[in-house]
Structures are given as structure tokens and as C-alpha cells.
């Protein structure tokens, strides 16, 4: 939310991970939806919901390079900072497009 706000986007405005994926922004988890600046969601079984998100920096084949907050070098969703992480598309539950769907003010 902070990154989008700093860049004059009207949304999203929530720290709760599931709120980043409303039906109007939801995209399935496929490599074709891994576009720069899309939000991706990681499903955490213990919480039974999307409980970690990141921003797509780039995609190459089945791999996503993302920028993620509240993580660490090991990839925890309860981390100590902001990190660049590489994740396989199979580890991503879904994407949300907040850039190309008309939210720029």
C-alpha cells in the first residue's frame, strides 16, 4: 500500500493481505499475469488465507522476482525487512493488478 501511495495511486489502502485481492483486481496465478508492479499473494496454510504479499519486479519463465516486506533471507512471512526474493510461480496463489486497471490519479 505504501509503495502505491508514494506513486499517487488511489489504491490499495490496507495492511491486511487478503484485502489486496478484490474481485475487480484479481488475476489467476499464471506466468502471463506476472507483470511488473502486480501484487502477488502467498497462501499460508496455517492461517488458511493469503497472508503474505509482494510486488512483481520481473518474471522469467516460471520464476518471479519480487520485492517483499516483512520477510527475511530465509523467506519467512514474519521477517525483519524488505528483500528481493525469487519465487516459482507454483508458490504464488494469485496476482492483483492495481496498475493497469485505471487507479492512477
Amino acid at each position: 500500500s505504501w509503495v502505491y501511495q508514494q506513486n499517487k495511486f488511489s489504491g490499495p489502502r490496507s495492511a491486511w493481505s487478503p484485502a489486496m485481492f478484490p474481485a475487480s483486481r484479481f488475476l489467476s496465478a499464471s506466468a502471463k499475469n506476472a507483470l511488473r508492479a502486480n501484487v502477488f499473494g502467498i497462501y499460508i496454510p496455517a492461517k488458511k488465507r493469503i497472508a503474505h504479499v509482494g510486488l512483481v519486479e520481473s518474471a522469467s519463465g516460471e520464476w518471479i522476482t519480487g520485492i517483499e516486506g516483512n520477510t527475511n533471507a530465509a523467506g519467512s512471512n514474519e521477517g525483519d525487512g524488505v528483500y528481493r526474493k525469487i519465487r516459482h510461480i507454483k508458490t504464488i496463489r494469485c496476482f492483483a493488478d492495481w496498475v493497469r486497471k485505471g487507479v492512477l490519479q
Side-chain angles (χ1 to χ4, degrees), residues 59-103:
S60 180
E62 298 289 309
W63 296 92
I64 308 304
T65 300
I67 306 299
E68 303 175 32
N70 197 30
T71 190
N72 60 28
S76 168
N77 67 318
E78 297 294 337
D80 59 11
V82 177
Y83 291 81
R84 179 174 283 113
K85 307 294 289 183
I86 298 173
R87 295 187 181 269
H88 194 274
I89 190 73
K90 289 182 179 180
T91 66
I92 295 171
R93 172 57 70 90
C94 58
F95 292 95
D97 189 344
W98 289 91
V99 176
R100 289 165 255 325
K101 292 197 173 192
V103 295

Side-chain angles (χ1 to χ4, degrees), residues 5-93:
Q5 185 176 21
Q6 296 301 305
N7 288 282
K8 309 289 189 244
F9 284 79
S10 61
R13 293 285 184 267
S14 179
W16 194 56
S17 300
M20 303 293 273
F21 303 92
S24 63
R25 305 285 175 204
F26 186 87
L27 301 169
S28 64
S30 72
K32 70 179 170 96
N33 289 328
L35 301 176
R36 186 175 178 88
N38 276 357
V39 177
F40 60 87
I42 306 290
Y43 184 85
I44 307 295
K47 294 189 177 190
K48 298 181 181 174
R49 64 176 173 84
I50 292 172
H52 185 73
V53 302
L55 291 174
V56 175
E57 181 180 38
S58 64
S60 180
E62 298 289 309
W63 296 92
I64 308 304
T65 300
I67 306 299
E68 303 175 32
N70 197 30
T71 190
N72 60 28
S76 168
N77 67 318
E78 297 294 337
D80 59 11
V82 177
Y83 291 81
R84 179 174 283 113
K85 307 294 289 183
I86 298 173
R87 295 187 181 269
H88 194 274
I89 190 73
K90 289 182 179 180
T91 66
I92 295 171
R93 172 57 70 90

